[in-house]
């Protein structure tokens, strides 16, 4: 099971990723390498071997990249508390979203997670000036990292949508990843304006 070790379910019936897969998750880290993937195949998480370029594995990889990029952002000092809490929650949700894909019986992301993102976007966006043109990623390091996470999130969404053509995917998870990239965009704008700094706007008049 690639990069999916610690999941909790918010479900009242207590269906967790571990019992959905029929494994005890705590034992998954006793061996770091198994040599099973030396032939170019890997486990989807349900004891099914597929090529490492399988679309489900592409999704796992893109979500892993997204989580890692957000992790880099969380190491920045002086992040606003609200944003730091948001990023920490998102990292947990990304792991749980990956778990849904690995174990279809495991369900975590729901409409409340999507609504929480929408509320955050509206709250933060209300503090920003209207955007009249495209923003150039950068400004300061924290904002640049957040823009990078946003772009990676868009790729993860594309990969997840492609997988949804092949197998059933939680529709709320699709919505969540879509909103997440929007949330990261707004957060990047907030971070870019810290300490009276300004965003860099696309100068279309130069074209």
């Amino acid at each position: 099971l690639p990069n999916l070790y610690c999941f909790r379910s918010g479900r009242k019936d207590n269906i967790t990723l571990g019992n959905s897969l029929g494994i005890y998750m705590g034992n998954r880290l006793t061996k770091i390498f198994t040599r099973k993937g030396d032939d170019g195949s890997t486990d989807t998480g349900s004891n099914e071997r597929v090529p490492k370029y399988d679309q489900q594995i592409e999704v796992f990889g893109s979500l892993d990249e997204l989580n890692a990029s957000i992790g880099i952002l969380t190491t920045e000092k002086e992040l606003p508390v609200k944003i730091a809490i948001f990023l920490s929650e998102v990292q947990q949700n990304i792991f749980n979203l990956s778990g849904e894909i690995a174990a279809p019986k495991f369900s975590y992301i729901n409409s409340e997670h999507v609504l929480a993102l929408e509320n955050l976007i509206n709250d933060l966006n209300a503090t920003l000036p209207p955007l009249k043109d495209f923003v150039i990623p950068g400004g300061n390091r924290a904002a640049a990292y957040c823009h990078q996470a946003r772009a990676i999130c868009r790729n993860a969404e594309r990969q997840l949508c492609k997988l949804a053509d092949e197998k059933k995917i939680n529709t709320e998870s699709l919505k969540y990843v879509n909103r997440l990239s929007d949330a990261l965009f707004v957060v990047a704008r907030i971070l870019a304006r810290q300490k009276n700094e300004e965003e860099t706007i696309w100068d279309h008049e130069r074209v």
Side-chain angles (χ1 to χ4, degrees):
L1 179 61
N3 302 313
L4 311 173
Y5 299 113
C6 302
F7 296 86
R8 288 175 136 186
S9 173
R11 294 167 58 114
K12 294 181 180 180
D13 54 13
N14 201 35
I15 294 179
T16 64
L17 178 62
N19 59 40
S20 293
L21 294 175
I23 59 176
Y24 174 61
M25 298 302 287
N27 288 335
R28 297 293 295 181
L29 287 176
T30 54
K31 291 188 68 176
I32 302 302
F33 65 91
T34 64
R35 299 191 178 93
K36 293 181 179 179
D38 291 349
D39 63 354
S41 69
T42 191
D43 195 328
T44 63
S46 56
N47 296 319
E48 178 188 3
R49 304 295 297 183
V50 297
K52 291 186 176 181
Y53 52 81
D54 182 85
Q55 186 56 32
Q56 182 164 323
I57 307 306
E58 289 286 351
V59 171
F60 288 152
S62 61
L63 290 173
D64 191 26
E65 290 172 10
L66 173 58
N67 218 339
S69 67
I70 293 174
I72 293 174
L73 176 56
T74 64
T75 66
E76 284 293 293
K77 297 179 180 179
E78 300 181 7
L79 285 176
V81 173
K82 184 174 184 177
I83 289 176
I85 292 173
F86 156 69
L87 294 173
S88 177
E89 291 177 348
V90 166
Q91 286 192 288
Q92 295 291 333
N93 288 340
I94 291 172
F95 260 86
N96 283 306
L97 197 160
S98 297
E100 290 183 341
I101 299 168
K105 292 183 179 180
F106 173 74
S107 179
Y108 183 84
I109 302 296
N110 56 42
S111 59
E112 293 181 1
H113 293 99
V114 178
L115 181 61
L117 284 181
E118 292 176 346
N119 288 338
L120 177 77
I121 292 169
N122 289 334
D123 289 346
L124 295 181
N125 201 48
T127 68
L128 292 167
L131 192 59
K132 298 180 180 179
D133 229 320
F134 293 107
V135 173
I136 301 296
N140 57 45
R141 188 169 63 183
Y145 282 153
C146 198
H147 275 296
Q148 183 180 48
R150 171 193 57 78
I152 293 173
C153 185
R154 284 297 191 195
N155 179 60
E157 180 187 6
R158 291 192 296 271
Q159 297 296 338
L160 188 59
C161 288
K162 186 175 181 180
L163 181 62
D165 286 340
E166 302 177 7
K167 62 179 292 185
K168 185 176 181 180
I169 299 295
N170 180 359
T171 56
E172 297 302 325
S173 293
L174 289 167
K175 295 176 187 177
Y176 182 85
V177 178
N178 186 303
R179 300 298 187 284
L180 178 56
S181 60
D182 295 331
L184 291 170
F185 175 75
V186 176
V187 169
R189 293 197 67 201
I190 293 288
L191 296 176
R193 304 180 76 84
Q194 288 193 117
K195 300 180 180 179
N196 297 318
E197 297 175 346
E198 293 291 333
E199 299 171 276
T200 303
I201 303 299
W202 175 47
D203 184 4
H204 58 81
E205 294 182 359
R206 296 175 59 187
V207 178

mmCIF file of all heavy atoms in Angstrom, residues 123-153:
data_model
loop_
_atom_site.group_PDB
_atom_site.id
_atom_site.type_symbol
_atom_site.label_atom_id
_atom_site.label_comp_id
_atom_site.label_asym_id
_atom_site.label_seq_id
_atom_site.Cartn_x
_atom_site.Cartn_y
_atom_site.Cartn_z
ATOM 1 N N ASP A 123 -14.183 33.660 3.535
ATOM 2 C CA ASP A 123 -13.684 34.480 4.648
ATOM 3 C C ASP A 123 -12.380 35.180 4.280
ATOM 4 O O ASP A 123 -12.211 36.382 4.537
ATOM 5 C CB ASP A 123 -13.472 33.616 5.890
ATOM 6 C CG ASP A 123 -14.778 33.155 6.512
ATOM 7 O OD1 ASP A 123 -15.841 33.710 6.148
ATOM 8 O OD2 ASP A 123 -14.740 32.237 7.358
ATOM 9 N N LEU A 124 -11.448 34.441 3.687
ATOM 10 C CA LEU A 124 -10.156 35.025 3.332
ATOM 11 C C LEU A 124 -10.283 35.992 2.166
ATOM 12 O O LEU A 124 -9.662 37.060 2.160
ATOM 13 C CB LEU A 124 -9.146 33.916 2.999
ATOM 14 C CG LEU A 124 -8.740 32.974 4.144
ATOM 15 C CD1 LEU A 124 -7.727 31.954 3.639
ATOM 16 C CD2 LEU A 124 -8.163 33.754 5.314
ATOM 17 N N ASN A 125 -11.093 35.619 1.192
ATOM 18 C CA ASN A 125 -11.236 36.454 -0.001
ATOM 19 C C ASN A 125 -11.866 37.806 0.320
ATOM 20 O O ASN A 125 -11.598 38.809 -0.354
ATOM 21 C CB ASN A 125 -12.068 35.726 -1.055
ATOM 22 C CG ASN A 125 -11.840 36.266 -2.448
ATOM 23 O OD1 ASN A 125 -10.705 36.448 -2.879
ATOM 24 N ND2 ASN A 125 -12.922 36.537 -3.158
ATOM 25 N N ALA A 126 -12.680 37.838 1.370
ATOM 26 C CA ALA A 126 -13.334 39.088 1.774
ATOM 27 C C ALA A 126 -12.328 40.119 2.279
ATOM 28 O O ALA A 126 -12.625 41.323 2.302
ATOM 29 C CB ALA A 126 -14.380 38.809 2.852
ATOM 30 N N THR A 127 -11.151 39.662 2.665
ATOM 31 C CA THR A 127 -10.128 40.575 3.181
ATOM 32 C C THR A 127 -9.179 41.051 2.088
ATOM 33 O O THR A 127 -8.291 41.870 2.355
ATOM 34 C CB THR A 127 -9.289 39.885 4.277
ATOM 35 O OG1 THR A 127 -8.488 38.843 3.695
ATOM 36 C CG2 THR A 127 -10.188 39.286 5.348
ATOM 37 N N LEU A 128 -9.357 40.566 0.857
ATOM 38 C CA LEU A 128 -8.441 40.878 -0.238
ATOM 39 C C LEU A 128 -9.054 41.893 -1.201
ATOM 40 O O LEU A 128 -10.273 41.915 -1.375
ATOM 41 C CB LEU A 128 -8.088 39.598 -1.008
ATOM 42 C CG LEU A 128 -7.255 38.565 -0.261
ATOM 43 C CD1 LEU A 128 -7.266 37.236 -1.023
ATOM 44 C CD2 LEU A 128 -5.820 39.052 -0.078
ATOM 45 N N PRO A 129 -8.225 42.678 -1.855
ATOM 46 C CA PRO A 129 -8.747 43.583 -2.879
ATOM 47 C C PRO A 129 -9.198 42.795 -4.097
ATOM 48 O O PRO A 129 -8.701 41.681 -4.330
ATOM 49 C CB PRO A 129 -7.533 44.466 -3.211
ATOM 50 C CG PRO A 129 -6.347 43.623 -2.872
ATOM 51 C CD PRO A 129 -6.766 42.814 -1.680
ATOM 52 N N PRO A 130 -10.134 43.316 -4.874
ATOM 53 C CA PRO A 130 -10.598 42.603 -6.079
ATOM 54 C C PRO A 130 -9.424 42.304 -7.002
ATOM 55 O O PRO A 130 -8.509 43.112 -7.150
ATOM 56 C CB PRO A 130 -11.577 43.593 -6.714
ATOM 57 C CG PRO A 130 -12.024 44.456 -5.589
ATOM 58 C CD PRO A 130 -10.848 44.590 -4.680
ATOM 59 N N LEU A 131 -9.470 41.160 -7.626
ATOM 60 C CA LEU A 131 -8.404 40.751 -8.535
ATOM 61 C C LEU A 131 -8.806 41.118 -9.956
ATOM 62 O O LEU A 131 -9.784 40.605 -10.489
ATOM 63 C CB LEU A 131 -8.172 39.241 -8.413
ATOM 64 C CG LEU A 131 -6.920 38.672 -9.075
ATOM 65 C CD1 LEU A 131 -5.666 39.322 -8.513
ATOM 66 C CD2 LEU A 131 -6.857 37.167 -8.867
ATOM 67 N N LYS A 132 -8.026 41.982 -10.578
ATOM 68 C CA LYS A 132 -8.351 42.462 -11.913
ATOM 69 C C LYS A 132 -7.532 41.793 -13.004
ATOM 70 O O LYS A 132 -7.782 42.018 -14.192
ATOM 71 C CB LYS A 132 -8.153 43.976 -11.966
ATOM 72 C CG LYS A 132 -9.065 44.736 -11.009
ATOM 73 C CD LYS A 132 -8.831 46.232 -11.096
ATOM 74 C CE LYS A 132 -9.753 46.982 -10.136
ATOM 75 N NZ LYS A 132 -9.520 48.455 -10.197
ATOM 76 N N ASP A 133 -6.534 41.014 -12.629
ATOM 77 C CA ASP A 133 -5.710 40.341 -13.619
ATOM 78 C C ASP A 133 -5.074 39.110 -12.995
ATOM 79 O O ASP A 133 -5.215 38.849 -11.798
ATOM 80 C CB ASP A 133 -4.617 41.279 -14.156
ATOM 81 C CG ASP A 133 -4.568 41.254 -15.682
ATOM 82 O OD1 ASP A 133 -4.721 40.149 -16.245
ATOM 83 O OD2 ASP A 133 -4.407 42.318 -16.283
ATOM 84 N N PHE A 134 -4.362 38.334 -13.823
ATOM 85 C CA PHE A 134 -3.733 37.119 -13.331
ATOM 86 C C PHE A 134 -2.571 37.442 -12.397
ATOM 87 O O PHE A 134 -1.858 38.440 -12.584
ATOM 88 C CB PHE A 134 -3.221 36.276 -14.504
ATOM 89 C CG PHE A 134 -4.312 35.716 -15.363
ATOM 90 C CD1 PHE A 134 -4.556 36.226 -16.625
ATOM 91 C CD2 PHE A 134 -5.105 34.685 -14.903
ATOM 92 C CE1 PHE A 134 -5.560 35.714 -17.423
ATOM 93 C CE2 PHE A 134 -6.130 34.161 -15.689
ATOM 94 C CZ PHE A 134 -6.350 34.676 -16.946
ATOM 95 N N VAL A 135 -2.394 36.577 -11.400
ATOM 96 C CA VAL A 135 -1.299 36.719 -10.444
ATOM 97 C C VAL A 135 -0.106 35.891 -10.908
ATOM 98 O O VAL A 135 -0.264 34.734 -11.291
ATOM 99 C CB VAL A 135 -1.728 36.259 -9.033
ATOM 100 C CG1 VAL A 135 -0.545 36.255 -8.073
ATOM 101 C CG2 VAL A 135 -2.842 37.150 -8.503
ATOM 102 N N ILE A 136 1.082 36.498 -10.876
ATOM 103 C CA ILE A 136 2.310 35.762 -11.181
ATOM 104 C C ILE A 136 2.776 35.089 -9.903
ATOM 105 O O ILE A 136 2.982 35.762 -8.890
ATOM 106 C CB ILE A 136 3.413 36.711 -11.701
ATOM 107 C CG1 ILE A 136 2.946 37.439 -12.964
ATOM 108 C CG2 ILE A 136 4.705 35.949 -11.958
ATOM 109 C CD1 ILE A 136 2.696 36.530 -14.144
ATOM 110 N N PRO A 137 2.927 33.756 -9.884
ATOM 111 C CA PRO A 137 3.382 33.076 -8.670
ATOM 112 C C PRO A 137 4.704 33.652 -8.174
ATOM 113 O O PRO A 137 5.622 33.899 -8.960
ATOM 114 C CB PRO A 137 3.546 31.621 -9.121
ATOM 115 C CG PRO A 137 2.587 31.483 -10.256
ATOM 116 C CD PRO A 137 2.634 32.811 -10.970
ATOM 117 N N GLY A 138 4.781 33.871 -6.880
ATOM 118 C CA GLY A 138 5.992 34.443 -6.296
ATOM 119 C C GLY A 138 5.610 35.368 -5.168
ATOM 120 O O GLY A 138 4.748 35.049 -4.362
ATOM 121 N N GLY A 139 6.216 36.538 -5.126
ATOM 122 C CA GLY A 139 5.920 37.512 -4.084
ATOM 123 C C GLY A 139 6.864 37.363 -2.916
ATOM 124 O O GLY A 139 7.717 38.195 -2.662
ATOM 125 N N ASN A 140 6.721 36.274 -2.190
ATOM 126 C CA ASN A 140 7.676 35.877 -1.158
ATOM 127 C C ASN A 140 7.705 34.352 -1.134
ATOM 128 O O ASN A 140 6.957 33.688 -1.862
ATOM 129 C CB ASN A 140 7.316 36.466 0.216
ATOM 130 C CG ASN A 140 5.917 36.086 0.670
ATOM 131 O OD1 ASN A 140 5.501 34.933 0.575
ATOM 132 N ND2 ASN A 140 5.158 37.065 1.165
ATOM 133 N N ARG A 141 8.562 33.794 -0.334
ATOM 134 C CA ARG A 141 8.760 32.346 -0.393
ATOM 135 C C ARG A 141 7.505 31.566 -0.003
ATOM 136 O O ARG A 141 7.140 30.582 -0.663
ATOM 137 C CB ARG A 141 9.935 31.939 0.498
ATOM 138 C CG ARG A 141 10.346 30.477 0.344
ATOM 139 C CD ARG A 141 11.658 30.204 1.035
ATOM 140 N NE ARG A 141 11.554 30.431 2.469
ATOM 141 C CZ ARG A 141 12.577 30.311 3.318
ATOM 142 N NH1 ARG A 141 13.776 30.014 2.856
ATOM 143 N NH2 ARG A 141 12.407 30.536 4.611
ATOM 144 N N ALA A 142 6.829 31.984 1.059
ATOM 145 C CA ALA A 142 5.632 31.268 1.499
ATOM 146 C C ALA A 142 4.559 31.294 0.419
ATOM 147 O O ALA A 142 3.914 30.275 0.135
ATOM 148 C CB ALA A 142 5.101 31.878 2.792
ATOM 149 N N ALA A 143 4.358 32.456 -0.199
ATOM 150 C CA ALA A 143 3.355 32.571 -1.254
ATOM 151 C C ALA A 143 3.732 31.719 -2.455
ATOM 152 O O ALA A 143 2.876 31.068 -3.071
ATOM 153 C CB ALA A 143 3.197 34.031 -1.673
ATOM 154 N N ALA A 144 5.028 31.700 -2.792
ATOM 155 C CA ALA A 144 5.494 30.897 -3.926
ATOM 156 C C ALA A 144 5.264 29.410 -3.660
ATOM 157 O O ALA A 144 4.826 28.671 -4.554
ATOM 158 C CB ALA A 144 6.967 31.170 -4.189
ATOM 159 N N TYR A 145 5.573 28.966 -2.443
ATOM 160 C CA TYR A 145 5.330 27.563 -2.090
ATOM 161 C C TYR A 145 3.843 27.226 -2.199
ATOM 162 O O TYR A 145 3.461 26.136 -2.634
ATOM 163 C CB TYR A 145 5.806 27.279 -0.661
ATOM 164 C CG TYR A 145 7.289 27.105 -0.494
ATOM 165 C CD1 TYR A 145 7.910 27.401 0.721
ATOM 166 C CD2 TYR A 145 8.088 26.625 -1.536
ATOM 167 C CE1 TYR A 145 9.276 27.232 0.887
ATOM 168 C CE2 TYR A 145 9.451 26.455 -1.373
ATOM 169 C CZ TYR A 145 10.045 26.767 -0.157
ATOM 170 O OH TYR A 145 11.393 26.593 0.016
ATOM 171 N N CYS A 146 2.992 28.168 -1.788
ATOM 172 C CA CYS A 146 1.552 27.926 -1.830
ATOM 173 C C CYS A 146 1.058 27.858 -3.268
ATOM 174 O O CYS A 146 0.209 27.028 -3.600
ATOM 175 C CB CYS A 146 0.819 29.018 -1.053
ATOM 176 S SG CYS A 146 -0.867 28.574 -0.609
ATOM 177 N N HIS A 147 1.591 28.715 -4.136
ATOM 178 C CA HIS A 147 1.228 28.641 -5.548
ATOM 179 C C HIS A 147 1.687 27.315 -6.154
ATOM 180 O O HIS A 147 1.001 26.728 -7.001
ATOM 181 C CB HIS A 147 1.851 29.812 -6.325
ATOM 182 C CG HIS A 147 1.035 31.061 -6.284
ATOM 183 N ND1 HIS A 147 -0.223 31.133 -6.842
ATOM 184 C CD2 HIS A 147 1.297 32.288 -5.766
ATOM 185 C CE1 HIS A 147 -0.711 32.353 -6.659
ATOM 186 N NE2 HIS A 147 0.188 33.073 -6.019
ATOM 187 N N GLN A 148 2.852 26.839 -5.735
ATOM 188 C CA GLN A 148 3.335 25.556 -6.219
ATOM 189 C C GLN A 148 2.380 24.436 -5.794
ATOM 190 O O GLN A 148 2.028 23.562 -6.596
ATOM 191 C CB GLN A 148 4.736 25.277 -5.682
ATOM 192 C CG GLN A 148 5.343 23.975 -6.192
ATOM 193 C CD GLN A 148 6.731 23.745 -5.626
ATOM 194 O OE1 GLN A 148 6.958 23.874 -4.422
ATOM 195 N NE2 GLN A 148 7.677 23.419 -6.496
ATOM 196 N N ALA A 149 1.941 24.475 -4.538
ATOM 197 C CA ALA A 149 0.985 23.480 -4.041
ATOM 198 C C ALA A 149 -0.321 23.569 -4.814
ATOM 199 O O ALA A 149 -0.947 22.546 -5.136
ATOM 200 C CB ALA A 149 0.742 23.686 -2.550
ATOM 201 N N ARG A 150 -0.743 24.791 -5.150
ATOM 202 C CA ARG A 150 -1.975 24.976 -5.927
ATOM 203 C C ARG A 150 -1.865 24.310 -7.295
ATOM 204 O O ARG A 150 -2.789 23.612 -7.739
ATOM 205 C CB ARG A 150 -2.257 26.476 -6.090
ATOM 206 C CG ARG A 150 -3.388 26.788 -7.056
ATOM 207 C CD ARG A 150 -3.427 28.258 -7.429
ATOM 208 N NE ARG A 150 -2.186 28.746 -7.999
ATOM 209 C CZ ARG A 150 -1.800 28.533 -9.252
ATOM 210 N NH1 ARG A 150 -2.536 27.800 -10.079
ATOM 211 N NH2 ARG A 150 -0.656 29.036 -9.691
ATOM 212 N N ALA A 151 -0.727 24.518 -7.968
ATOM 213 C CA ALA A 151 -0.537 23.931 -9.295
ATOM 214 C C ALA A 151 -0.500 22.405 -9.211
ATOM 215 O O ALA A 151 -1.063 21.711 -10.068
ATOM 216 C CB ALA A 151 0.757 24.457 -9.915
ATOM 217 N N ILE A 152 0.147 21.881 -8.182
ATOM 218 C CA ILE A 152 0.207 20.423 -7.996
ATOM 219 C C ILE A 152 -1.188 19.880 -7.694
ATOM 220 O O ILE A 152 -1.560 18.790 -8.134
ATOM 221 C CB ILE A 152 1.204 20.063 -6.882
ATOM 222 C CG1 ILE A 152 2.627 20.424 -7.330
ATOM 223 C CG2 ILE A 152 1.120 18.583 -6.517
ATOM 224 C CD1 ILE A 152 3.678 20.278 -6.240
ATOM 225 N N CYS A 153 -1.974 20.660 -6.956
ATOM 226 C CA CYS A 153 -3.348 20.254 -6.641
ATOM 227 C C CYS A 153 -4.182 20.155 -7.911
ATOM 228 O O CYS A 153 -4.998 19.233 -8.058
ATOM 229 C CB CYS A 153 -3.975 21.257 -5.672
ATOM 230 S SG CYS A 153 -5.616 20.791 -5.093
#
